[in-house]
Amino acid sequence: MTRQYDRRKVTLKDVAAQVGVSHTTVSNAYIRPGQLSAALREKILAAAQELGYTGPDPAAKQLATGRAGALGFLFSEDLPYAFTDPAILSVLNGVARSCDDLETDLALISAGSNLRNRAAPVSLGNAAVDGYILYSVAPDSRCVLMAQQRNVPLVVVDQPRLDGVPYVGIDDRGSAYRAAKTLLDLGHRHFGILSLKTAHDGYFGPLTAKRRANIAHSTIAMRLEGYLLALREAKIAPEDVPAWEIPINSEDMGAEGVRHLLNRAQRPTAILAMSDRVAIGAMQTIRALGLNIPQDVSIFGFDDIPAAEGADLSTIRQPHERKGTEAVRLLSAASGSENVILDTELVLRGSIGPAAP
């Protein structure tokens, strides 16, 4: 049974006195366990538990070891989004598994507020970390510069590309090209595009030529470029392809955005969506309007999240979890500027079919 002591904070020296060893020996039980016998370490940890000692102060531990014992995962969206988006969850699962293998903690850091309010001070949180994984962070984010100034290793997943910084991603342009080419080979010539956000300004509307020319996110720019390259090869001019930009990667936004593509004199027979969540939402609206998939409208997603199979959605499968494991590997290896481009897979399901004659 654990003894109850007074309310003052129990220190490392209290544990040392209880066991009859030096405070350095107690510190080693936590920081350098290999320097103690298993029996002595077990005795120290048992005494610490009895006294209510929770371990060395994180700042002191960092000074002693030169390491914080944690990695930072920095992303552009608000913090709750990380727990609702299947793609981020898969990447985080890969990161978490690798951190667990390395016995390293993980700190989630949202850059969302720094992108919305540029007058506010930039913050990367209070956690001390041994390195940062920058996940799909906008290149104009002030957090990118601050992370670079922390003098710890960095790895980028998806974007932005930074000189001398290891990178993990996919061929977004080539993958999008394959999606569009698949629909072209089925005879489709009337397309619509559901684009993810090109800037952090909350815009919901047509993806105009001006916005196309100033896309902040390289992944979005590359996917759009891949779509349009395939269409141009089929003699379809980009200006003849309606595209609708949505500010949030969600089913609701996809459901609303596709209405604007379908409400045209020349209704698209094929929709290219830049994410599965957007595509799945669009499918709900297509059916609600009395149209059939794929007889009236074919739709192609991107990601292959778990819900895509249930929706019978054709999509591009990308290895989200492996992105996370590769990022941790590069970060822990301090491997210079190595770039890892992972393969994607074309997944064909029932949401696409031949264009109606």
Side-chain angles (χ1 to χ4, degrees):
M1 181 176 178
T2 302
R3 277 191 256 164
Q4 299 298 316
Y5 284 81
D6 58 48
R7 292 182 179 273
R8 74 176 181 85
K9 183 178 179 180
V10 179
T11 68
L12 181 146
K13 291 183 178 180
D14 294 324
V15 179
Q18 176 83 350
V19 181
V21 296
S22 70
H23 69 272
T24 301
T25 300
V26 175
S27 178
N28 286 340
Y30 290 90
I31 298 174
R32 303 179 184 88
Q35 296 188 8
L36 305 181
S37 68
L40 178 56
R41 183 169 187 262
E42 185 177 340
K43 182 178 180 181
I44 291 171
L45 296 180
Q49 181 177 4
E50 181 184 3
L51 292 171
Y53 177 66
T54 58
D57 179 84
K61 183 178 179 180
Q62 184 177 4
L63 285 174
T65 63
R67 297 183 66 256
L71 300 180
F73 186 87
L74 176 64
F75 57 102
S76 289
E77 305 297 340
D78 291 330
L79 192 57
Y81 185 85
F83 296 93
T84 60
D85 183 77
I88 294 184
L89 285 174
S90 293
V91 175
L92 277 172
N93 192 46
V95 172
R97 286 177 181 273
S98 295
C99 285
D100 193 52
D101 290 341
L102 296 172
E103 298 184 348
T104 297
D105 291 331
L106 179 63
L108 299 185
I109 304 164
S110 166
S113 61
N114 292 298
L115 288 164
R116 289 191 308 273
N117 184 5
R118 293 187 174 274
V122 180
S123 173
L124 293 184
N126 298 318
V129 299
D130 296 311
Y132 287 104
I133 297 170
L134 307 184
Y135 175 74
S136 199
V137 178
D140 59 347
S141 170
R142 296 172 295 164
C143 292
V144 172
L145 178 60
M146 177 165 281
Q148 290 176 300
Q149 292 174 338
R150 287 288 180 92
N151 198 31
V152 296
L154 304 178
V155 170
V156 170
V157 176
D158 288 347
Q159 66 175 13
R161 293 291 190 103
L162 301 173
D163 291 340
V165 175
Y167 171 85
V168 180
I170 62 169
D171 179 3
D172 283 281
R173 176 167 45 194
S175 299
Y177 176 92
R178 292 171 69 194
K181 188 68 167 57
T182 299
L183 291 169
L184 286 165
D185 290 345
L186 289 170
H188 292 279
R189 290 300 180 269
H190 302 292
F191 286 79
I193 296 173
L194 286 171
S195 172
L196 297 176
K197 63 186 174 187
T198 65
H200 286 270
D201 56 3
Y203 176 77
F204 178 78
L207 181 53
T208 63
K210 182 178 180 180
R211 292 185 71 84
R212 291 186 188 194
N214 295 281
I215 297 178
H217 296 276
S218 60
T219 53
I220 306 307
M222 291 298 99
R223 290 181 194 181
L224 181 62
E225 190 174 315
Y227 292 151
L228 297 181
L229 175 60
L231 298 181
R232 277 195 298 268
E233 290 179 353
K235 309 303 182 185
I236 300 173
E239 55 268 24
D240 294 334
V241 181
W244 198 266
E245 181 180 344
I246 60 176
I248 301 173
N249 179 24
S250 72
E251 292 79 3
D252 289 345
M253 286 286 99
E256 183 60 27
V258 79
R259 292 182 186 275
H260 299 276
L261 296 181
L262 298 175
N263 188 26
R264 299 173 58 86
Q266 179 60 68
R267 188 184 71 211
T269 65
I271 303 290
L272 291 160
M274 289 194 185
S275 85
D276 288 345
R277 295 187 69 182
V278 169
I280 290 169
M283 293 171 75
Q284 296 168 1
T285 292
I286 292 169
R287 293 189 174 110
L289 293 174
L291 300 172
N292 294 313
I293 300 172
Q295 292 85 353
D296 297 315
V297 182
S298 288
I299 186 162
F300 211 109
F302 205 111
D303 286 334
D304 198 31
I305 63 174
E309 184 175 6
D312 205 16
L313 175 65
S314 294
T315 186
I316 297 294
R317 176 180 296 158
Q318 59 167 317
H320 293 293
E321 187 166 325
R322 192 175 166 205
K323 284 183 178 180
T325 59
E326 285 293 320
V328 176
R329 179 184 69 81
L330 293 177
L331 205 56
S332 59
S335 55
S337 56
E338 179 182 350
N339 292 333
V340 177
I341 306 300
L342 301 173
D343 291 334
T344 59
E345 182 181 347
L346 197 67
V347 180
L348 302 182
R349 299 190 178 110
S351 69
I352 64 172

